[in-house]
Amino acid sequence: MTENQTWVTEFILLGFPLSLKLQGFLFGLFSLFYAFTLLGNSIILGLIWLDSRLHTLMYFFLSHLAIVDIAYASNNVPKMLANLLNKEKTISFVPCIMQMFLYMAFAHTECLILVMMSYDRYVAICHPLHYSVIMSWRVCTIQAVISWACGSLLALVHVVLILRLPFCGPHEINHFFCEILSVLKLACADTRLNQVVIFVACVFILLGPLCLVLVSYMHILFAILRIRSGESRRKAFSTCSSHFCVVGLFFGSAIVMYMAPKSHHPEEQQKILSLFYSLFNPMLNPLIYSLRNAEVKGALRRALWKERSM
């Protein structure tokens, strides 16, 4: 720590220790998944932008979710794909810190956006007569801005606490991107403060929002069961079930990753969990909303029919 200390200027991302053939196969597979992620979320954004029937507050939040998913995947996946082909899997210190900041900012923002979406559905189904008063465009815009701002500020707190730590070797990150827990293992100083802040942030950004979502959906379920019209009940179940699937996938994988005891999850298993919410979640979200949401499917059919008629 004193005489032979060497300061780290770059890290090596170990990624997945696989054969060259398997790495080539994964490069093709993950490239396909990444393309589907960009295409699916872009289609969702395009439909919301072009179809006036989707110019509602629910799809306003869904457009933000699609933007977050595109940005989240684009922050982690391209570097992972490049490392699957390159022998030198290095990343400089500053880009590593930037990658860490962006992935945490987008992850935090997605948590808060999902909470706003569940609250929107709660008000729409449980208090339909007061919906336009409670959930005005001004209120929803403020909610979206707060979600982005809080997500970025929380990520900034983590980054500032990491920058106070010395990194003097080893410089090998046992992950496919600069994930905060993997980077902390390389610090040659006490990281207890960082660990406490991460746990508190998880309680605030994961457990708290998840509890709010579950309470909202309990009220929504009781309200749906009281609906007499079968068509209205099916429509309510369609929109809410798709959102609940997205919530379950995202919060479930994140809680297992950051709040479960680490002894129960070896490092290779943690990489798979990270891969799930870095690549698979952003790819599955537009599929869930398009397959289970009648309004999105209707907008897609109208867009395709309009294209054919031209």
Side-chain angles (χ1 to χ4, degrees):
M1 289 285 295
T2 54
E3 294 181 3
N4 296 327
Q5 181 170 322
T6 58
W7 297 98
V8 172
T9 58
E10 66 178 17
F11 297 107
I12 297 175
L13 296 170
L14 296 180
F16 297 99
L18 304 169
S19 65
L20 291 177
K21 287 185 178 181
L22 193 51
Q23 286 186 14
F25 170 75
L26 289 180
F27 173 82
L29 183 64
F30 292 162
S31 297
L32 191 63
F33 287 167
Y34 181 53
F36 281 143
T37 298
L38 298 181
L39 180 62
N41 285 287
S42 297
I43 289 174
I44 293 289
L45 283 173
L47 290 175
I48 294 172
W49 177 265
L50 296 173
D51 197 314
S52 59
R53 300 184 190 185
L54 299 184
H55 293 176
T56 63
L57 296 176
M58 184 181 80
Y59 294 102
F60 169 75
F61 286 119
L62 182 57
S63 65
H64 280 270
L65 183 65
I67 292 171
V68 171
D69 282 339
I70 290 173
Y72 192 62
S74 298
N75 181 57
N76 298 339
V77 177
K79 182 63 178 176
M80 178 188 69
L81 294 176
N83 286 343
L84 285 172
L85 295 181
N86 297 334
K87 291 184 179 180
E88 293 185 1
K89 303 179 181 182
T90 59
I91 183 170
S92 300
F93 184 81
V94 173
C96 181
I97 295 298
M98 282 299 300
Q99 187 184 53
M100 188 190 313
F101 167 77
L102 290 174
Y103 112 82
M104 287 190 294
F106 295 139
H108 294 158
T109 302
E110 180 156 353
C111 287
L112 298 175
I113 291 292
L114 289 172
V115 173
M116 300 304 175
M117 292 176 72
S118 67
Y119 180 68
D120 173 76
R121 291 299 85 203
Y122 163 73
V123 176
I125 294 174
C126 298
H127 305 283
L129 298 179
H130 301 94
Y131 180 77
S132 59
V133 177
I134 299 173
M135 299 297 289
S136 65
W137 279 101
R138 180 175 177 273
V139 170
C140 291
T141 302
I142 291 173
Q143 289 177 343
V145 170
I146 290 174
S147 297
W148 284 93
C150 288
S152 300
L153 286 174
L154 280 171
L156 186 61
V157 169
H158 290 300
V159 167
V160 169
L161 289 176
I162 280 184
L163 289 176
R164 64 181 254 282
L165 298 172
F167 292 90
C168 48
H171 60 291
E172 294 180 340
I173 299 175
N174 191 12
H175 218 289
F176 58 87
F177 72 103
C178 291
E179 195 271 330
I180 184 169
L181 296 179
S182 299
V183 172
L184 279 177
K185 292 177 182 178
L186 307 184
C188 46
D190 188 5
T191 62
R192 279 179 295 183
L193 177 60
N194 299 75
Q195 300 286 353
V196 169
V197 172
I198 289 172
F199 181 80
V200 172
C202 286
V203 172
F204 173 73
I205 210 74
L206 287 177
L207 286 185
L210 181 59
C211 290
L212 291 175
V213 169
L214 292 176
V215 170
S216 297
Y217 273 94
M218 284 179 62
H219 287 282
I220 289 171
L221 179 61
F222 291 140
I224 290 175
L225 293 176
R226 290 196 299 266
I227 297 176
R228 294 182 180 179
S229 170
E231 182 64 27
S232 299
R233 186 182 297 178
R234 281 193 298 271
K235 184 178 179 181
F237 265 121
S238 175
T239 55
C240 293
S241 61
S242 59
H243 177 63
F244 196 72
C245 287
V246 171
V247 167
L249 287 172
F250 184 84
F251 281 93
S253 57
I255 287 174
V256 170
M257 178 67 187
Y258 287 101
M259 302 201 73
K262 295 298 177 288
S263 60
H264 295 173
H265 304 287
E267 290 182 332
E268 297 305 316
Q269 189 174 343
Q270 292 181 32
K271 293 179 192 178
I272 295 173
L273 286 170
S274 297
L275 188 65
F276 186 84
Y277 65 77
S278 296
L279 182 57
F280 297 149
N281 263 2
M283 181 186 68
L284 291 174
N285 286 353
L287 288 175
I288 292 172
Y289 278 107
S290 60
L291 292 176
R292 297 191 60 84
N293 193 305
E295 291 179 336
V296 173
K297 287 190 288 187
L300 182 59
R301 282 194 298 267
R302 287 190 294 272
L304 293 175
W305 179 258
K306 185 177 180 180
E307 185 70 23
R308 287 178 183 176
S309 63
M310 293 175 63

